[in-house]
Amino acid sequence: YSALLLLGHSTSDSEDGKEAGLLMELADRLRSCSDLLGALPYKTCASLCYSVMLAPPVTSGRVEYGEHPVDALFLAGHFAVPGRSWLLSTEDRLMLQQVRRTLHLLPWNRRALKSEQDLGELTEAETADEAMSPPEPFYLAALGHLVPHHNEAKWCSPPLSGSSCRAAISGTRIAPAASNVSSTESAENRDSDQRSRCGSSDSSSELGERLGLDRCRGTFAANEIQEGLREIMAALSACDIEHHLITEVETEVHVSIPRQALSRCMQQPEPNITQNDIAVVWGSKLHYVSNGVSQLDLSLSPAARFQVTALKASRALDVVVVPYWWWPRHGNLKERGAALARFLSDGAE
């Protein structure tokens, strides 16, 4: 259900309507579950909460399908428990940062505020891992587009108690992206073994070993976003356009450009005081969904649209997404910078 929502199928105009029909069937199954919270692991609850807040439900003229089968705030209250911070991997914490962003933008109510505050305590209990490569903000950007997350190496674990168990888990850290391609097969074998043991053993020592193998998914996507923004900054520098890389937790990593700097480059009149500065987001392959086979059919995914909305709401910026297929692959840096300046000046969305 989460995956189909975040692929944009709840608003799909496909002729056969198979995706919408499947979503309705899955919604009925979720409604019929008498103990949904008991049946779903915490990470699945987080993925489901994130997706139902980002994408609308299927509408087919039948009133019962005009809403999601689960209450997002009900789900959030289930997994937003600060006391569980020691069970979180880095990936879990980054995923919950995305959920926290969605809760922050909800119309104010006590439940949303309480869940957002609890998630703040939960995600801030651990500091960022400075050894991650690419740096953590790029993983945070990637993971928001990789939902749903089903690997339950952490949250499906049996309850633990005692300082020894905490020590075994607190040492878990994310391994940087492997630099040796030949290690891929062995890493996949370890992951397969990890999944086969997940939730099947009550041994705390084995659990500690399993948790120690945890790594953050999204390495390729994080690298693509980092490289894309790096190329954008190099092109801007070649044209002497002032810019700054912004890696704050509250927003997706982006390049900020003062409106005046762009106007000077384009030899345009000075912008008025009401015009916002520009935030440039790299539109990776994960930022887009399509029901067709042509690039003309591509559109921003529900997750990407949310990140744009969150950026506009929190920083009062004009957001421009630079699609991966648009970026010029030929010409020198100055020519690329000039093309980018024209793209931004035209107010592309």
Side-chain angles (χ1 to χ4, degrees):
Y1 188 79
S2 298
L4 290 173
L5 286 179
L6 293 177
L7 286 172
H9 288 307
S10 62
T11 56
S12 172
D13 296 326
S14 60
E15 295 180 0
D16 55 23
K18 290 182 179 179
E19 296 87 354
L22 179 56
L23 271 168
M24 292 177 186
E25 180 182 344
L26 294 173
D28 284 338
R29 292 188 183 186
L30 288 171
R31 288 191 184 95
S32 64
C33 184
S34 58
D35 184 20
L36 186 62
L37 295 184
L40 296 180
Y42 292 116
K43 189 178 292 188
T44 304
C45 283
S47 295
L48 186 57
C49 177
Y50 182 71
S51 61
V52 300
M53 287 193 287
L54 264 59
V58 174
T59 55
S60 66
R62 298 167 60 181
V63 176
E64 62 267 31
Y65 291 120
E67 61 183 20
H68 286 296
V70 290
D71 183 346
L73 295 181
F74 184 63
L75 291 171
H78 182 53
F79 61 78
V81 181
R84 294 196 181 100
S85 62
W86 60 281
L87 279 174
L88 298 184
S89 67
T90 300
E91 179 183 314
D92 297 334
R93 180 169 53 81
L94 295 181
M95 171 60 202
L96 293 183
Q97 287 283 14
Q98 298 288 358
V99 178
R100 187 183 177 190
R101 288 180 187 175
T102 63
L103 289 169
H104 187 70
L105 289 185
L106 283 180
W108 188 92
N109 65 64
R110 294 179 187 275
R111 292 170 63 200
L113 182 62
K114 177 66 165 58
S115 294
E116 198 271 339
Q117 290 174 340
D118 288 344
L119 278 179
E121 295 180 34
L122 187 61
T123 57
E124 292 168 4
E126 295 287 337
T127 58
D129 187 352
E130 297 180 358
M132 291 183 73
S133 179
E136 186 173 287
F138 297 96
Y139 274 100
L140 177 60
L143 287 175
H145 303 279
L146 288 170
V147 179
H149 294 189
H150 291 309
N151 182 356
E152 295 294 338
K154 287 294 170 52
W155 285 359
C156 74
S157 316
L160 302 178
S161 61
S163 58
S164 61
C165 296
R166 291 177 180 267
I169 296 178
S170 63
T172 301
R173 277 300 178 190
I174 295 304
S179 58
N180 188 349
V181 178
S182 64
S183 66
T184 302
E185 183 177 354
S186 61
E188 291 176 348
N189 291 337
R190 290 197 305 268
D191 283 352
S192 176
D193 182 56
Q194 175 181 328
R195 287 191 295 271
S196 68
R197 295 201 309 267
C198 181
S200 63
S201 171
D202 292 332
S203 168
S204 60
S205 60
E206 186 175 327
L207 177 63
E209 178 185 358
R210 181 174 76 244
L211 297 181
L213 296 176
D214 182 60
R215 294 168 301 156
C216 199
R217 76 191 73 198
T219 297
F220 294 107
N223 272 293
E224 180 188 351
I225 293 171
Q226 183 185 42
E227 286 300 314
L229 292 179
R230 183 179 293 164
E231 290 190 23
I232 285 175
M233 291 190 293
L236 292 172
S237 297
C239 293
D240 295 323
I241 300 177
E242 180 185 352
H243 60 278
H244 308 278
L245 179 65
I246 308 300
T247 58
E248 299 170 335
V249 172
E250 291 80 9
T251 61
E252 182 161 320
V253 59
H254 62 278
V255 174
S256 177
I257 304 174
R259 177 73 67 169
Q260 288 182 337
L262 182 62
S263 297
R264 284 194 296 268
C265 175
M266 298 298 296
Q267 298 181 347
Q268 296 173 340
E270 287 291 313
N272 60 57
I273 195 171
T274 61
Q275 289 183 289
N276 296 325
D277 290 339
I278 301 171
V280 182
V281 174
W282 179 256
S284 74
K285 298 176 182 66
L286 293 177
H287 283 67
Y288 296 91
V289 294
S290 174
N291 291 321
V293 296
S294 170
Q295 286 184 349
L296 297 176
D297 298 318
L298 290 174
S299 60
L300 288 176
S301 69
R305 291 198 298 270
F306 165 72
Q307 298 299 339
V308 170
T309 301
L311 191 48
K312 289 180 178 179
S314 62
R315 294 294 178 268
L317 297 167
D318 289 338
V319 181
V320 178
V321 180
V322 178
Y324 66 91
W325 72 84
W326 176 89
W327 183 250
R329 300 298 176 184
H330 305 287
N332 57 41
L333 283 176
K334 195 163 187 178
E335 291 172 340
R336 296 183 187 185
L340 177 61
R342 291 192 296 270
F343 185 82
L344 299 177
S345 182
D346 291 339
E349 288 282 338

